[in-house]
Amino acid sequence: MDLPIEELKKIIKDLPEREVRSYLYHILLSTSLLDCKEYTAVEFSNQMKEIYNHILYPEDPITTFNSEGNYQKVHITFGYQYLKPILKEMGIHEEEPVISIHDNFAVAPIAYLHTESGQKTRYEWIKSSLRGLEEEVDEYIEEIQKSFILIHSIPKDVPITIWVCENAHEQTGLLFVLFLLRERTNTITIFNTAKLYSELFKAKAKKYTPLSSGEILSEELSALFKYGQENQICLTEVERNQFENQWVSLSEHDGTLRLWENGEIQSVSEEYFDEFIIKMAQKIQGKRKKKVCIPALRIIGEVYGHIEQYVGDDFLEYRLRKLIEKGTFEYKGSLEAMRSYSVKLT
């Protein structure tokens, strides 16, 4: 749905400065990835659409569900808001509200995250390590905690649909949310967007499978929603117990990085991508006649475009800074932001 220019201007004018900086950062990063040919035009378009939707369709201001509300279903998603515009277009966004958890469960500690001490450990690590979130981290944490409160306030007779793709971020989030809901009697359905995509778009799926739910085109997502509704199967009590036990097992690991491999969440060393970061830097450096500094953004874009894992650029930049600390890279500029410094191999 296209908005009049004047209305768009008003929305932009009313945006907090912090949000404007965040959106600008993601636009610049995506443009860099496109310039480096690590993004296709379609991927770039999807990213811009995601930002567009996030600005135009912000989270509902509610902090808990009203027990008198006419809710037919509650959807839970992970990452930026991608589902609400679809439901709004269908005219069912009020009776089928969406809870979006804006965290990245593929990175940072998740040990005993269902406890207050586990959450404190995670958020302290995020504050100290992911510099890209430093200015907005308090609000970031507050929004996540609001999501947990919303989940706990879902009325007991309202069905729940959890949307996931086949990556460590969404799959870990799924286990965590199912554990939070372990004592609830609500019927729960899982929409595996990668699986639904493969079934519904068989020809396309031979060449492309979405890495995350948020990168699926709006018209395709709408078709997936309808297809999933027609073919949904609620989790049995046995299945729910299995998922809950998986979370208990996973949350006993102290690691800060998880990958999706062979259909499973794998906890790996946070240094897992270090050699690949060095390899990509060597590849870029090899094209130049002499050793010159390479923008950090350029290296992160190169790595991000090849790893086929949903870990986020903030984590990759964190590892680049760790390699600088070890003396593997020299840097020029300010380490306060990814766009503010360049590096070269020592």
Side-chain angles (χ1 to χ4, degrees), residues 174-317:
L174 168 68
L175 298 183
F176 177 54
V177 167
L178 285 173
F179 188 83
L180 293 182
L181 295 168
R182 65 192 180 280
E183 295 178 359
R184 306 296 295 274
T185 58
N186 307 64
T187 59
I188 298 177
T189 305
I190 297 174
F191 272 20
N192 184 320
T193 52
K195 183 173 181 294
L196 292 173
Y197 191 95
S198 297
E199 292 175 3
L200 190 57
F201 304 109
K202 292 180 182 178
K204 285 185 180 180
K206 289 179 181 178
K207 297 181 180 179
Y208 163 79
T209 303
L211 185 61
S212 68
S213 301
E215 70 180 46
I216 301 173
L217 295 172
S218 296
E219 57 268 26
E220 292 176 339
L221 197 64
S222 181
L224 288 185
F225 176 81
K226 293 170 185 174
Y227 178 75
Q229 294 279 72
E230 295 167 1
N231 297 275
Q232 64 181 346
I233 300 174
C234 296
L235 292 178
T236 64
E237 187 175 347
V238 171
E239 289 171 327
R240 288 180 64 167
N241 287 335
Q242 289 173 342
F243 281 120
E244 291 160 15
N245 290 334
Q246 284 181 49
W247 168 257
V248 171
S249 176
L250 186 65
S251 72
E252 291 175 351
H253 292 274
D254 292 328
T256 55
L257 177 61
R258 286 156 292 282
L259 305 179
W260 182 252
E261 294 181 338
N262 302 317
E264 293 183 349
I265 302 165
Q266 303 286 345
S267 294
V268 298
S269 165
E270 71 168 34
E271 299 176 354
Y272 185 90
F273 290 114
D274 287 7
E275 287 300 320
F276 194 66
I277 292 171
I278 295 168
K279 180 181 176 181
M280 289 296 102
Q282 289 170 336
K283 177 183 173 184
I284 299 168
Q285 193 78 63
K287 296 177 180 178
R288 302 168 186 258
K289 292 182 179 179
K290 61 178 182 177
K291 275 193 177 183
V292 295
C293 284
I294 308 160
L297 199 65
R298 171 76 174 88
I299 293 178
I300 299 306
E302 187 84 22
V303 175
Y304 193 81
H306 283 85
I307 60 175
E308 296 185 357
Q309 292 282 344
Y310 191 99
V311 297
D313 50 85
D314 289 317
F315 180 82
L316 295 174
E317 195 264 339

Side-chain angles (χ1 to χ4, degrees), residues 110-146:
I110 58 167
Y112 305 103
L113 188 59
H114 48 276
T115 66
E116 188 175 335
S117 62
Q119 290 174 25
K120 182 179 178 182
T121 299
R122 176 176 176 80
Y123 301 145
E124 285 178 350
W125 187 93
I126 289 172
K127 275 188 173 185
S128 64
S129 303
L130 302 187
R131 293 277 187 89
L133 297 169
E134 193 168 17
E135 292 181 358
E136 57 199 53
V137 73
D138 289 331
E139 188 171 339
Y140 164 80
I141 291 169
E142 186 181 340
E143 288 302 312
I144 295 169
Q145 291 173 332
K146 283 180 182 178

